Amino acid sequence: MSSPQQVPARKQQDLQTTYSNFKTTLQQIASKIGDIEQEAEEHKLVLETLEPLSGDRKCFRLINGVLVERTVKDVVPALRTNQEGLKKVLDDLVKQYKNKQDELDKWKLIFK
């Protein structure tokens, strides 16, 4: 049998592990949010740069590590589509972060 002191220590360790898991998950989501925000900002800057240019003007785009030559009129719609997709992913990540934070807050109230 285990002594009375080991049971609370084990429970304390389990609580600490659960708390650490919550914090790690929140940090990972926050990191992803930061990455997506940065990528969305880059798309915004590129679109702001390309929009005033002639549609026939040559530009280059990096696709899967390969630099390809395109025209502005070909690149701008693809960038807009990507930007909209990034916004949706960002919204989903923010919701996921808020839900996980709420879950952590509820968990904290249970063990106060």
Side-chain angles (χ1 to χ4, degrees):
M1 276 186 108
S2 60
S3 69
Q5 289 179 336
Q6 287 176 335
V7 174
R10 177 70 179 163
K11 181 156 176 88
Q12 180 68 25
Q13 185 179 6
D14 289 344
L15 291 174
Q16 184 62 39
T17 301
T18 303
Y19 180 77
S20 295
N21 289 339
F22 272 118
K23 284 301 197 179
T24 300
T25 302
L26 286 171
Q27 288 174 344
Q28 289 171 343
I29 295 170
S31 176
K32 289 178 189 176
I33 288 171
D35 293 344
I36 298 294
E37 284 177 337
Q38 182 179 1
E39 196 169 336
E41 183 64 24
E42 289 172 4
H43 275 70
K44 179 183 165 214
L45 291 172
V46 171
L47 282 169
E48 287 174 357
T49 302
L50 291 179
E51 285 176 340
L53 301 177
S54 166
D56 295 332
R57 186 165 176 169
K58 186 186 341 179
C59 66
F60 294 89
R61 183 170 180 212
L62 191 63
I63 301 174
N64 294 328
V66 178
L67 196 59
V68 293
E69 182 178 332
R70 299 278 190 251
T71 60
V72 171
K73 67 182 173 190
D74 294 333
V75 172
V76 169
L79 286 174
R80 283 196 183 118
T81 302
N82 287 353
Q83 188 179 35
E84 290 168 10
L86 288 171
K87 286 179 184 177
K88 289 178 185 175
V89 170
L90 186 59
D91 290 343
D92 290 344
L93 283 172
V94 169
K95 287 177 188 174
Q96 187 179 356
Y97 185 90
K98 287 179 182 177
N99 289 339
K100 188 55 89 171
Q101 184 66 49
D102 291 344
E103 192 179 328
L104 174 60
D105 292 342
K106 288 177 187 174
W107 180 82
K108 283 181 182 178
L109 289 175
I110 291 172
F111 293 103
K112 257 192 170 178

